[in-house]
Amino acid sequence: MFHHFYNEKHIQGQGAISADELAQIIEFYQQSYRILPARDWLEKANQGTLADNEACLTFDDALLCQYEVALPVLQQFDLTAFWFVYSSVITGGSEKLEIYRKFRTVCFESIDEFYRCFFRTIGDSPYQADVATALRGFIPEEYLKQFPFYTNPDRQFRFVRDQVLGPAAYTEVLDLMMQAEKIDLPEFTSDLWMNDQQVLDLHDQEHVIGLHSHTHPTALAALDADAQRVEYQTNFETLNRILRVAPDTVSHPCNSYNTDTLKILKDLEIKVGFRSNMAEQQASQLEFPREDHANIMDKIAA
């Protein structure tokens, strides 16, 4: 599972890797696994004939850096991949999740400096008391423990963002921080996402394009069933229109899903889905586990 890449154009934010590091990961993984082209892997998954050593490559979030940095590496290895696209951003919209990630990367000397500013801003907001109360019993090591690459400050930030503030209050806090930096939003977001033609180009090159919700809620499972259905129905219809073929795969954004989600995806005739970790056994065709590239980099360095 891959997200962010960097080069001379795209920033080296938290978790981003280079083209050379992607090639290193592929070569390392090929020592023990047979990496299949995406459509071959999907066919075998649907038939139930995947071998234990057969794997595939997946990319989440329709990021332009993936298209410009990672795709040429895949072409060198003659590989195709799954690309899971949240559709609001490829139809001219923008979503704060990625904007905020770039903001904390380019406007702060370190991620820890961003976290300090974030909690200072909360301290001057109406949410100060709620956050303080929630953090009194918070044990960082127990939150998101299935993702070992998160630091304790990462876990505290994500807990406050997703479990205490929620989308509206979190947006309010981050927008206050960005206003203080006088960010020019159109210029700031110009290099973040693919457009519809680039997504279509991937499809035409035999890659598999799948669902990833419409607006990428970080806690999709917290939405009621109707709101989840709007997210995935809109995502499905948008990709169907662009690709002229119905998507039949999904990855769960931020690993957030529940029984409502799985029913909605089955109603849309989605055949294969991916989680965002390796922590649990596969429970269904919509819950294939994935290894985050950060864990593979740790193995290479060991």
Side-chain angles (χ1 to χ4, degrees), residues 16-17 65 83 120 157 164 204 217 228 248 276 280 293 296:
I17 62 173
C65 63
W83 306 73
R120 282 198 305 269
F157 166 72
V164 186
D204 290 342
Q228 289 192 40
D248 60 1
S276 299
E280 300 128 12
H293 81 272
I296 303 171

Side-chain angles (χ1 to χ4, degrees), residues 36-64:
L36 299 179
R39 296 191 183 186
D40 292 350
W41 189 96
L42 180 58
E43 181 179 1
K44 298 191 77 169
N46 283 326
Q47 294 173 347
T49 59
L50 280 171
D52 290 343
N53 70 333
E54 289 177 327
C56 61
L57 304 176
T58 72
F59 297 80
D60 285 3
D61 296 349
L63 301 175
L64 183 59

Side-chain angles (χ1 to χ4, degrees), residues 134-145 152 155-156 159:
L135 287 176
R136 285 194 192 109
F138 178 66
I139 303 173
E141 294 81 4
E142 293 299 314
Y143 187 69
L144 299 175
K145 63 182 179 181
N152 283 350
R155 298 173 198 278
Q156 178 172 284
F159 172 73

Side-chain angles (χ1 to χ4, degrees), residues 115-266:
Y115 290 151
R116 286 191 290 270
C117 183
F118 174 72
F119 283 104
R120 282 198 305 269
T121 305
I122 288 176
D124 294 328
S125 78
Y127 310 109
Q128 188 275 335
D130 288 342
V131 170
T133 299
L135 287 176
R136 285 194 192 109
F138 178 66
I139 303 173
E141 294 81 4
E142 293 299 314
Y143 187 69
L144 299 175
K145 63 182 179 181
Q146 68 269 41
F147 300 103
F149 47 84
Y150 284 150
T151 65
N152 283 350
D154 291 336
R155 298 173 198 278
Q156 178 172 284
F157 166 72
R158 282 163 171 76
F159 172 73
V160 170
R161 180 190 69 184
D162 296 336
Q163 305 301 324
V164 186
L165 293 178
Y170 174 69
T171 296
E172 181 181 335
V173 171
L174 264 290
D175 284 351
L176 284 172
M177 294 171 64
M178 290 186 66
Q179 288 167 16
E181 297 292 333
K182 298 180 172 57
I183 300 295
D184 181 340
L185 205 56
E187 179 181 353
F188 196 69
T189 60
S190 62
D191 63 349
L192 291 183
W193 296 289
M194 301 182 210
N195 59 38
D196 55 355
Q197 289 304 305
Q198 289 162 330
V199 172
L200 179 60
D201 179 52
L202 289 171
H203 171 75
D204 290 342
Q205 292 187 50
E206 304 291 310
H207 297 264
V208 175
I209 310 300
L211 304 183
H212 201 52
S213 79
H214 183 59
T215 66
H216 201 301
T218 56
L220 187 138
L223 303 180
D224 63 34
D226 288 343
Q228 289 192 40
R229 188 171 294 277
V230 169
E231 281 287 337
Y232 276 116
Q233 186 74 41
T234 306
N235 194 201
F236 179 92
E237 291 173 356
T238 303
L239 293 183
N240 192 14
R241 183 176 66 253
I242 292 169
L243 305 175
R244 299 183 296 277
V245 63
D248 60 1
T249 62
V250 67
S251 74
H252 302 289
C254 298
N255 212 50
S256 184
Y257 65 97
N258 56 22
T259 55
D260 287 334
T261 320
L262 299 180
K263 181 182 184 306
I264 291 162
L265 294 170
K266 289 175 184 176

Side-chain angles (χ1 to χ4, degrees), residues 22-35:
L22 174 59
Q24 188 179 13
I25 287 172
I26 292 173
E27 290 170 348
F28 176 81
Y29 228 65
Q30 285 178 330
Q31 296 174 21
S32 304
Y33 291 87
R34 183 182 175 212
I35 303 178

